[in-house]
Amino acid sequence: MANRAHTKSHRGRRLVPGPDPRVDTLLGMVMALTSEVSMLRERLDAHESLAASGKVPDQDAVDHYQPTEADESRRKQYRDRLIDKVCRPLVASGQQDG
Amino acid sequence: MTMTRPHPMMPAANHDELAEQKFVLAFKTYVWNNLDPLLVEEARTTARELEQDGTAAPFREVRRQLASKPVYQNWISSMRAGQEMMWQAAADCVDRQQTDLEERAQQAPPLGSLRVDPDFEIPAYLAAADTHMQPGGYESNESDTDVRQGAIYDKAAWLYSLGRQGGELADMRGHVVVQHIMERFPGFAPQRILDLGCTVGCSTVAVASYYPDADFHAIDVGAGVLRYAHARAAHMGAAVHFSQQSAEQTDFDDNSFDLVYSCAVLHETSNQAVKRIFKECHRILRPGGLMVHLEVPVRAEEVDVVGEVRGDYEARYNNEPFWKGIAGFDLDELARDVGFVEVAADFQDAVTVASPDAEPGFGKPNKGGYRSWYMVSGKKQGG
Ligand SMILES: C[S@@+](CC[C@H](N)C(=O)[O-])C[C@H]1O[C@@H](n2cnc3c(N)ncnc32)[C@H](O)[C@@H]1O
């Protein structure tokens, strides 16, 4: 479903300036992968929450699990930490001298 | 952002989709908070270095220098990656429930109507590139029940602006248009209204809520987004007649509307198209009728080097090619040229609900994106 032809339409997509356009490609791939890590982490969190309340964490229970406010504040910390960690080199390279 | 729907057509997220959307939002926020300040500094420094005897270098010089700087390159890549992940996240959520959404569309109450035109030709300025990087642009339409493109747009609207354009209904622009009318033309009660470039009808439904008895029309170029818009409006109780037409040339009669407006449309057209749209507004308005356009709050005379860099990103990497063009366009002069009177163009403070008793918000300083909008309005002589 995500692979339908028009989902891949990128009419008018320009190259980002730089010595090698593959840097831009790689950045997109790293961030896409990071989003999957974040989703997995949240799925694990849902398992733990369901298990803690004695429920069977089967697929349906996880798919429909609505995070509570407490869940969300814990998840936000994981998420922000993950992004911070993955993107830290971007910030560092922008702050270095020369 | 939750798993529930703010209206029946909004695609609902399951657990993982919600996690994905929250990730996109967090990443966009991270870029804004951490990479954007570095970009601002780099742009200012570069501009200063190129300045000669107090005279700023042309922006293309600044851009040429910036192009070799990693901060600038990484900023563009990160901004665009956020945008592309946003569309992907919204599309995956929609595709999982596409059948359900099509059924929901068909179950909408019988309000308003939808008229699509299989022979419609998309204007060249929209056909050239996927606006905002949304794959398929505004016109994607796969079947005569397809609501996919509209659903994706609606789902992404909140993520796009980090929730700053009126919550999950993303309808702030409609409220601002009405607030503008209440301030500039108190007591104006339009009976026949047209929304130009309605997309999924976020602003349409908002404006319609203030004029519930009006005969309400809305047009756009994409059959898919219009089909979604019709179902969305009907489910929300608004009777709107949607049709697939270009705002440059409609099939409406001369002198047939009291109010013709657009929200965030002009900057996605072209020099020629803006002129034609203003003329068309004049033709279809009755004497005494109002034209109102709401635009992004970017005016060429105010833009500094940072604004140039941002505008340049919008134009080149977010596929908004006319972004800079509209910022330099003298819209009030054009309105007068095509015959409007009582013309005014200025910034209007953002509101999330319009009221005749509100503090006046037109003619205020520009407070920036989502806090101000640029408005141009005028009246057709006579009536
Ligand atoms: C940013 S969206 C507008 C959002 C919408 N008005 C709202 O407030 O929610 C721009 C829309 O303008 C439409 N548009 C651009 N040129 C147009 C034209 N010549 N005729 C009709 N619609 C047009 C695009 O198809 C797109 O749907």
Side-chain angles (χ1 to χ4, degrees), chain B residues 125-126 138 173 197 199 203 220-221 245-247 263-265 268-269:
Chain B
Y125 44 85
L126 291 176
Y138 289 117
R173 293 175 300 272
T199 324
S203 303
D220 205 287
V221 301
Q245 311 196 47
S246 172
C263 296
V265 173
E268 293 183 8
T269 65

Side-chain angles (χ1 to χ4, degrees), chain A residues 1-84:
Chain A
M1 49 183 194
N3 287 325
R4 298 153 61 156
H6 58 259
T7 301
K8 292 183 181 157
S9 160
H10 296 117
R11 281 182 308 177
R13 192 180 197 277
R14 270 180 195 256
L15 277 186
V16 174
D20 186 340
R22 291 176 301 180
V23 175
D24 176 62
T25 307
L26 203 56
L27 187 143
M29 293 170 73
V30 170
M31 291 322 302
L33 196 54
T34 308
S35 80
E36 288 293 319
V37 174
S38 181
M39 288 158 71
L40 263 177
R41 188 72 181 81
E42 292 209 28
R43 203 163 171 93
L44 188 60
D45 189 85
H47 272 263
E48 288 167 358
S49 298
L50 285 163
S53 56
K55 300 202 179 89
V56 180
D58 60 13
Q59 186 181 349
D60 197 54
V62 179
D63 282 346
H64 292 101
Y65 183 77
Q66 169 86 58
T68 63
E69 265 181 40
D71 292 338
E72 176 48 27
S73 71
R74 187 173 58 244
R75 291 172 179 213
K76 184 177 183 320
Q77 281 182 16
Y78 303 144
R79 198 187 296 130
D80 288 346
R81 177 178 169 280
L82 173 66
I83 294 174
D84 216 53

Side-chain angles (χ1 to χ4, degrees), chain B residues 109-130:
Chain B
L111 289 174
S113 61
L114 171 69
R115 186 157 58 94
V116 298
D117 173 6
D119 299 322
F120 183 79
E121 254 188 60
I122 190 101
Y125 44 85
L126 291 176
D130 289 334

Side-chain angles (χ1 to χ4, degrees), chain B residues 255-276:
Chain B
N255 309 315
S256 59
F257 285 97
D258 302 300
L259 169 64
V260 177
Y261 73 92
S262 78
C263 296
V265 173
L266 302 180
H267 74 272
E268 293 183 8
T269 65
S270 72
N271 243 306
Q272 277 312 313
V274 171
K275 293 179 191 159
R276 295 175 59 148

